Amino acid sequence: MHIHRSIVTTLLLIALTGFTSACGDSKTQEQHMSDAVASFDSGKYREALIELKNILQDNPKNKDARVLLARTSLKVGDADSAEKELERAATLGATDSEIYSLQQQTWLKLGKYQEVVDNYAVDRASVAERAEMQLAYGKALNGLDKAVAAKREFQNLADSSAGVVWQAEGLVGLALMARASGDDDTGKTYAEKALAMNPESASAYITLGQIALARGEYKLAYENFVAGGKTAPAENDQIFVLIAGELESAVGTKDLEASKDAANRLFALAPEHPITNYLMARVAYISGDKEMAYERSQKVLSKYPEFLPAQFLQGLLSIERKEYPQAE
């Protein structure tokens, strides 16, 4: 009996010690911040988020952590959280030079184009950030249907001495303007020039892929989206567009294996996104799983009833299921 109690006591002490070690955090705030910066710089944004949240749990008034959390949130596509963190950072004394460019990028992602335009002042950004701010300003003008002004900003950026990365982005902006006016040929020319200037431009590959996709050139579109993915795009929204384009192109070529591979990666990245579920419905359809296709398209329409591609697929499936009233 005494032996039994000793064993039980020992096991409890071991468990308690292990639990305490697991719950304890031996890192200092400085170490957490250093690790967060290192993770951010290496593109490991989820790891950076964990480090930053550990910091803010102990010290909610850490301004630098708030700013980096906003920047990291924007990288993973969470502009709403980025905006909230920037507001908190401002109340903690963050300076204009610390948050201005990030605020502009956040408003752009949220579609708050007027805020971007109203607050644009090139001298508020650092020299290193001015080209990025000019690009954001051009995109905001375009979002407000101010085509002439937007085209001027993109052209100025393309002709500037900001460096090939930003000059190429100016050309991509011009490509998008051309496409918006129905001139895909000119859009393609601009995107090809951008890619020649900067072979690592994910946005140029996206533009070329989308043009090919619109023309039904699925193999070429697939090649562009795959190549764009290899450039290691810095933001989740670009990664999402590249994988979605790869998936749609693979569906177009009826390459089932490539379609399933892209679908799995897209689902891992954004499982609740309507585009994810719509494209997975199409993959299920071409693979013969009509029930899964129906369920996926229904899921999209339950949240986004005006999503036309899902409406079309749902109508097609309803006809096949002989549910004619729903297909009308």
Side-chain angles (χ1 to χ4, degrees):
M1 179 66 70
H2 291 296
I3 294 174
H4 176 71
R5 285 179 178 173
S6 297
I7 292 172
V8 171
T9 302
T10 301
L11 289 172
L12 286 171
L13 285 171
I14 291 171
L16 183 59
T17 302
F19 178 77
T20 304
S21 299
C23 292
D25 187 352
S26 60
K27 285 185 181 180
T28 65
Q29 292 267 303
E30 291 75 16
Q31 287 172 324
H32 276 301
M33 193 64 180
S34 177
D35 288 346
V37 171
S39 294
F40 180 89
D41 288 344
S42 61
K44 298 176 181 177
Y45 303 124
R46 297 293 177 187
E47 292 180 17
L49 287 173
I50 292 170
E51 296 291 350
L52 292 166
K53 287 177 180 177
N54 281 329
I55 294 171
L56 292 168
Q57 184 174 1
D58 293 334
N59 181 15
K61 294 185 178 181
N62 189 315
K63 176 201 67 172
D64 293 337
R66 292 284 179 197
V67 173
L68 186 55
L69 181 56
R71 193 177 299 278
T72 308
S73 296
L74 197 59
K75 286 290 188 184
V76 300
D78 188 357
D80 288 316
S81 292
E83 185 176 40
K84 290 174 185 175
E85 292 303 328
L86 286 171
E87 290 171 356
R88 290 168 182 155
T91 63
L92 294 171
T95 64
D96 197 52
S97 62
E98 289 177 302
I99 63 174
Y100 170 68
S101 63
L102 190 54
Q103 183 69 79
Q104 291 288 86
Q105 290 292 335
T106 301
W107 279 332
L108 184 66
K109 296 288 186 187
L110 291 171
K112 296 183 177 181
Y113 304 127
Q114 195 61 57
E115 283 89 338
V116 176
V117 171
D118 289 345
N119 287 276
Y120 178 68
V122 69
D123 58 349
R124 289 178 65 185
S126 68
V127 174
E129 294 171 329
R130 287 179 183 177
E132 186 176 17
M133 290 303 92
Q134 187 175 0
L135 180 65
Y137 182 55
K139 289 180 178 179
L141 288 169
N142 190 40
L144 293 170
D145 294 325
K146 297 182 178 180
V148 174
K151 186 175 181 180
R152 181 177 62 246
E153 291 300 323
F154 292 139
Q155 188 66 64
N156 288 342
L157 184 57
D159 294 337
S160 72
S161 57
V164 295
V165 171
W166 297 112
Q167 288 174 290
E169 291 305 306
L171 288 169
V172 172
L174 291 170
L176 296 177
M177 297 290 295
R179 290 206 69 205
S181 66
D183 188 353
D184 274 359
D185 288 335
T186 299
K188 184 179 181 212
T189 298
Y190 277 128
E192 288 172 340
K193 286 181 178 178
L195 202 56
M197 183 176 285
N198 177 23
E200 296 299 307
S201 174
S203 54
Y205 277 117
I206 288 171
T207 304
L208 289 170
Q210 289 174 336
I211 290 172
L213 199 60
R215 292 175 168 178
E217 298 170 349
Y218 299 117
K219 186 176 183 297
L220 179 59
Y222 182 82
E223 291 170 355
N224 277 294
F225 289 124
V226 170
K230 292 178 180 178
T231 64
E235 297 183 4
N236 270 19
D237 57 352
Q238 278 194 331
I239 296 171
F240 179 86
V241 171
L242 285 162
I243 299 175
E246 181 184 336
L247 172 51
E248 190 165 3
S249 303
V251 170
T253 60
K254 296 183 172 55
D255 186 334
L256 190 55
E257 290 305 311
S259 299
K260 288 181 177 179
D261 175 68
N264 289 334
R265 285 183 282 124
L266 195 64
F267 185 78
L269 183 65
E272 296 302 318
H273 199 288
I275 296 294
T276 300
N277 282 285
Y278 164 67
L279 290 175
M280 292 189 77
R282 288 187 61 190
V283 173
Y285 184 82
I286 66 170
S287 65
D289 190 346
K290 303 296 178 66
E291 286 302 314
M292 179 58 72
Y294 189 85
E295 288 176 16
R296 288 283 183 188
S297 59
Q298 185 62 41
K299 183 176 182 179
V300 175
L301 292 172
S302 66
K303 292 184 178 180
Y304 305 93
E306 301 303 317
F307 191 73
L308 291 176
Q311 285 182 7
F312 178 80
L313 181 58
Q314 186 82 25
L316 181 63
L317 287 162
S318 295
I319 290 171
E320 292 184 5
R321 291 158 63 102
K322 297 183 179 179
E323 297 175 356
Y324 301 116
Q326 188 171 346
E328 291 176 357

